[in-house]
Each structure stands twice: as C-alpha cells, then as structure tokens.
Amino acid sequence: MRLTRFTDLSLRVLMRLAVEEGDQPTTREVAAAMAVPYTHAAKAVAKLQHLGLIEARRGRGGGLTLTAIGRGASIGALVRELEGAGDVVDCDGTTPCPLRAACRLRGALRQAQEAFFASLDPLTLSDLVQAPTGPLLVTLSPTLEVD
C-alpha cells in the first residue's frame, strides 16, 4: 500500500501541530518546517480544517491549532478519509482488464487494503508523536525572514 503525498503531508502537519506547546504556527511556518511548498501545505490545512481536525485563524495572533477531535482521531479513519474510497487497482479504466469478470485479485487487494487501514485504526496522534518522533518535531523550527 502506498499513500499519496497529500495524505503523507496531512499526517505530518497534524503531527507537527500535536507537539506545539502554546504556539500557533502559521501554514507558512509549518510548510517551512516540513520542507514542503506552501501551496501543498495550504491544501492539506484546508482539508484538515474542513474535517474539523484543526482550527486556522487569520491575522495577528492567528495560526494553526489542533482540535480535540484532531487529537483523538483514529489514524486509520483519517487515512481512509484522505485516501478516498478507490480500489488499489483500476480494473475498469481506459483499457479494462479482460479478467475483471472472474478475477480474484481485486478482492484480495481490497482485503489487504482494509487490513492496512485496520492496523492503523487504534493509533492516534499522541501515539505517533511519542519519543523519539515528538522531540525531533519540536526541533523543526523554520527560519523565516521577517519583513
């Protein structure tokens, strides 16, 4: 199973916010700390905000904060949501697979995909940011120039 870059980035944004102690970093600061383009981070932040996992406030004193829902969310449920409901393989694409009417592979891959998600279900953000990850995330502070 391979996650999309969007899902990977979204999880890293949540992990970064989970270790913040009182600070409310901006999307730009989180993008710099994660070494990703601002536009990609902004899309992830917008999706996470839409899901109720983070709050984003604009202006002076604004920034990103993790919500209680975000802190307690199942990583498996979150990955399912971010990855979407697609199959691992596209049997009906532009060149449909000739085996699709009697193929057992598609079902086996669906089972494997669900087993992957199920293995992530019991995990929460606090599990992901335990040492040594959490302390390393805290050290990732961007050096932004202030105008």
Side-chain angles (χ1 to χ4, degrees):
M1 179 77 205
R2 184 178 183 134
L3 298 179
T4 61
R5 288 184 181 169
F6 180 77
T7 298
D8 174 48
L9 175 58
S10 297
L11 291 172
R12 289 190 287 148
V13 167
L14 288 171
M15 290 169 65
R16 179 70 172 112
L17 294 176
V19 297
E20 287 298 331
E21 296 173 3
D23 268 352
Q24 292 185 349
T26 65
T27 302
R28 195 166 302 282
E29 290 169 340
V30 170
M34 297 287 110
V36 297
Y38 168 76
T39 54
H40 295 187
K43 287 177 187 174
V45 164
K47 178 68 173 182
L48 295 171
Q49 185 179 12
H50 176 74
L51 294 173
L53 303 171
I54 64 173
E55 287 182 4
R57 294 191 184 127
R58 293 181 175 208
R60 188 175 195 90
L64 306 174
T65 55
L66 198 57
T67 65
I69 294 170
R71 287 197 185 282
S74 159
I75 299 301
L78 180 57
V79 171
R80 278 184 193 90
E81 179 69 32
L82 295 171
E83 286 292 307
D87 282 327
V88 176
V89 294
D90 184 13
C91 300
D92 301 316
T94 55
T95 309
C97 176
L99 303 175
R100 72 184 178 280
C103 183
R104 296 177 56 144
L105 177 61
R106 188 179 202 174
L109 291 173
R110 276 190 195 134
Q111 275 186 291
Q113 181 181 31
E114 184 49 40
F116 173 77
F117 293 142
S119 71
L120 296 173
D121 282 340
L123 296 175
T124 63
L125 275 177
S126 54
D127 296 319
L128 297 182
V129 297
Q130 289 181 8
T133 307
L136 178 62
L137 282 165
V138 171
T139 66
L140 299 177
S141 47
T143 53
L144 297 176
E145 294 180 19
V146 179
D147 295 327

